[in-house]
Amino acid sequence: MRRGRSPFAPRRPEDHWRFIALVGLLIPLALLLLREAHLPWKELRRSVGLPVEPFQRVLADGRIERCETCHPDVEPVSPSHPPGVVGCSDCHGGEPLALEEDLAHQGLLGGPNPSRLDVAVTGCSGSGAGEGACHASRGPDFDHAQRVPEHLMATKAGEVAQVRRAFGLPPMDDPDAGAARALPSPLDGHPLEPAFQESCLSACHLGTTAGAAGSSSDPQEDDSRGASQARRTRHAGTQAGPGTEPPGGRPEGCAACHVLTPEDPSAPREHRFTTQIPYTQCNTCHNQGVHSLAGMRFTPASRLAADDRIVPPVPDGFTGRTPWTPEGPLSPEERQAAWEERVREYYLPGSRYTLCEVELDCIDCHTRREVMGDPEAGGVHGDRPRTMEEAVQVQCLECHGTVSRPIRSRELTAADGAVFVDPRQQLEGFPTFRAGDRVAVTGSGEPLPYVRVEEDGIVLTRKVDGVRVPVPQATGSGCLQNEGEQTSDACHACHNVGYGAGATAPGTEPGPTK
């Protein structure tokens, strides 16, 4: 019986070449289709159970972004950055319509962190995709991106000035000389200058942990110091290069304060900015140990002698009303635990502090202009503060008044624009600010909107949790204060609840608890 011819077999010699050509065309096409079916972004979406198609977000101004195709679980940055209004590329830059990683990530600002101070004017100003200025060029109290890089928190000018003063060196005249990264000789060639540059200027705000350890003759101290400094923020930190973050530490730039550090150092950070900044965030830079100018040595708090870590007794006025304790009255044991936790975590041995310094967070006292720069200081060539003493405006009298007069206060007006856009107003339990509200002000006129003059007295609202705290007033209290000395150190003489508590000045009685 005759076998049938395959319909695909060439019938004539020239058909062989046609068959080969067809196969030659089909194979690349099949490979192309296979590659298309297994593109990285498609594989990613399959792996998490999402539809295998690009995700497009249409922003309020009509722009389209596809970033969430590959980043589907990114948390909204904050209520002030609604995803439908502020796109990914507004902050991060990049190519928002691209689906291939290399192309999509071209032009990213600061790698994963667009708030790094070397790119923040672009990343945090909102100019990444043309949404207009957000944190730059909108007038006083809005131009954070321009002010922070030249302020003490970034330049370390205060530390340079303090060390120079300790060594008997005159202040620097150059208005830009306070920036540690621009100082070739911060101590005018002093023998300890190399150690100062390595263990302080390079290891904290500007460098990475690579230069932190290994600078002492004690290997054990090096390990402790390296671990401690790894937890610190590198505020300006542009030396490590684009796309890098300090190992074990928080991001640099704006995110150093506004992105909270997880309790577990190995846990990933959330893609979330906040203005509810607890003292624990500040403490990843501050109060980490004891510095010695003799040899430029640093001793982490964890290595201080056990006798130096004895916690002072719980003061009578301590309620335990802190953002990190449960709501409602605390048992004596809970009250004791809350006191010990705060004191051990925040205060170094020998520190003196008043009760309000324990029950409040750093941001409850320190103002926007103190921390991020004063827009009225004149900018790069103006009379900006060169030391911490010059930067700090708030004194005890801002909230407590003096024995002869009440606190300074005024009504909020339209000129206080930054107050009215405070993002905490969107959260339950926080006050809403309106023109006409009477609030405390600093000596320079900066409003303290969370210290309000109400019918039943002065009330402070904590900026982390919204708890209202009545503020005792010095007026009529019988306090024996010197009205010309209103820094916290002056008030510690009578109101100290920290180390050495109870040693009041001779012939005085404690005034109102602070």
Side-chain angles (χ1 to χ4, degrees), residues 369-451:
R369 296 183 182 182
E370 285 180 345
V371 175
M372 294 189 288
D374 189 344
E376 298 178 0
V380 174
H381 298 293
D383 188 24
R384 68 175 185 232
R386 306 312 305 268
T387 65
M388 183 180 70
E389 293 83 0
E390 294 177 1
V392 173
Q393 301 178 23
V394 168
Q395 301 183 78
C396 298
L397 60 83
E398 317 295 2
C399 293
H400 297 279
T402 70
V403 291
S404 65
R405 65 171 180 80
I407 67 168
R408 292 182 290 247
S409 66
R410 67 169 174 83
E411 293 184 352
L412 293 175
T413 69
D416 301 309
V419 172
F420 301 118
V421 297
D422 188 315
R424 299 182 190 89
Q425 296 178 97
Q426 305 176 47
L427 304 174
E428 183 179 356
F430 285 85
T432 300
F433 303 117
R434 299 180 176 86
D437 290 349
R438 181 161 287 276
V439 301
V441 295
T442 67
S444 66
E446 182 180 4
L448 303 173
Y450 286 89
V451 181

Side-chain angles (χ1 to χ4, degrees), residues 304 308-310 312 347-353 496 498-500:
L304 296 174
D308 291 336
R309 302 299 294 162
I310 296 175
Y347 294 103
L348 295 172
S351 300
R352 301 199 305 169
Y353 37 88
N496 175 38
Y499 294 89

Side-chain angles (χ1 to χ4, degrees), residues 161-174:
Q162 183 178 6
V163 174
R164 286 180 64 87
R165 184 167 56 217
F167 288 168
L169 300 174
M172 290 185 167
D173 296 327
D174 183 351

Side-chain angles (χ1 to χ4, degrees), residues 176-264:
D176 294 325
R181 60 184 177 275
L183 293 178
S185 183
L187 299 182
D188 297 351
H190 190 281
L192 289 176
E193 183 175 81
F196 178 55
Q197 290 176 307
E198 179 181 1
S199 64
C200 184
L201 299 187
S202 295
C204 298
H205 289 208
L206 296 175
T208 66
T209 53
S215 55
S216 80
S217 57
D218 183 350
Q220 184 178 2
E221 180 177 334
D222 285 339
D223 293 341
S224 298
R225 183 199 299 176
S228 176
Q229 291 186 343
R231 292 191 295 270
R232 299 184 184 189
T233 303
R234 281 69 180 169
H235 287 187
T238 59
Q239 294 179 347
T244 62
E245 296 291 353
R250 296 197 316 264
E252 300 162 354
C254 310
C257 299
H258 292 284
V259 175
L260 300 186
T261 303
E263 292 186 12
D264 179 1

Side-chain angles (χ1 to χ4, degrees), residues 54-337:
F55 178 91
Q56 296 193 156
R57 183 177 291 279
V58 181
L59 302 178
D61 62 358
R63 288 180 293 126
I64 295 175
E65 291 191 335
R66 293 177 173 175
C67 307
E68 291 170 83
T69 300
C70 295
H71 302 280
D73 298 324
V74 172
E75 310 94 337
V77 178
S78 76
S80 301
H81 301 75
V85 177
V86 180
C88 303
S89 61
D90 288 330
C91 300
H92 290 274
E95 297 293 336
L97 293 177
L99 294 175
E100 295 184 6
E101 182 178 3
D102 290 344
L103 179 58
H105 289 179
Q106 283 184 8
L108 281 184
L109 298 171
N113 180 11
S115 77
R116 255 182 26 201
L117 295 190
D118 58 331
V119 296
V121 170
T122 302
C124 294
S125 72
S127 59
E131 264 297 292
C134 296
H135 300 288
S137 303
R138 293 174 59 191
D141 283 325
F142 286 99
D143 57 346
H144 315 94
Q146 285 112 333
R147 286 189 282 120
V148 171
E150 61 186 40
H151 191 54
L152 296 180
M153 292 284 281
T155 67
K156 293 180 70 73
E159 294 183 37
V160 173
Q162 183 178 6
V163 174
R164 286 180 64 87
R165 184 167 56 217
F167 288 168
L169 300 174
M172 290 185 167
D173 296 327
D174 183 351
D176 294 325
R181 60 184 177 275
L183 293 178
S185 183
L187 299 182
D188 297 351
H190 190 281
L192 289 176
E193 183 175 81
F196 178 55
Q197 290 176 307
E198 179 181 1
S199 64
C200 184
L201 299 187
S202 295
C204 298
H205 289 208
L206 296 175
T208 66
T209 53
S215 55
S216 80
S217 57
D218 183 350
Q220 184 178 2
E221 180 177 334
D222 285 339
D223 293 341
S224 298
R225 183 199 299 176
S228 176
Q229 291 186 343
R231 292 191 295 270
R232 299 184 184 189
T233 303
R234 281 69 180 169
H235 287 187
T238 59
Q239 294 179 347
T244 62
E245 296 291 353
R250 296 197 316 264
E252 300 162 354
C254 310
C257 299
H258 292 284
V259 175
L260 300 186
T261 303
E263 292 186 12
D264 179 1
S266 64
R269 292 181 288 265
E270 291 187 346
H271 179 258
R272 186 176 297 277
F273 263 50
T274 182
T275 56
Q276 296 169 267
I277 303 170
Y279 82 92
T280 50
Q281 189 74 0
C282 307
N283 208 42
T284 57
C285 281
H286 301 276
N287 304 308
Q288 287 289 297
V290 177
H291 299 265
S292 171
L293 291 180
M296 293 295 172
R297 296 174 66 87
F298 172 76
T299 304
S302 60
R303 296 199 62 218
L304 296 174
D307 290 345
D308 291 336
R309 302 299 294 162
I310 296 175
V311 176
V314 183
D316 292 337
F318 181 68
T319 64
R321 298 175 305 178
T322 60
W324 59 95
T325 51
E327 295 183 4
L330 302 181
S331 67
E333 293 77 17
E334 291 174 325
R335 184 168 164 266
Q336 176 72 31

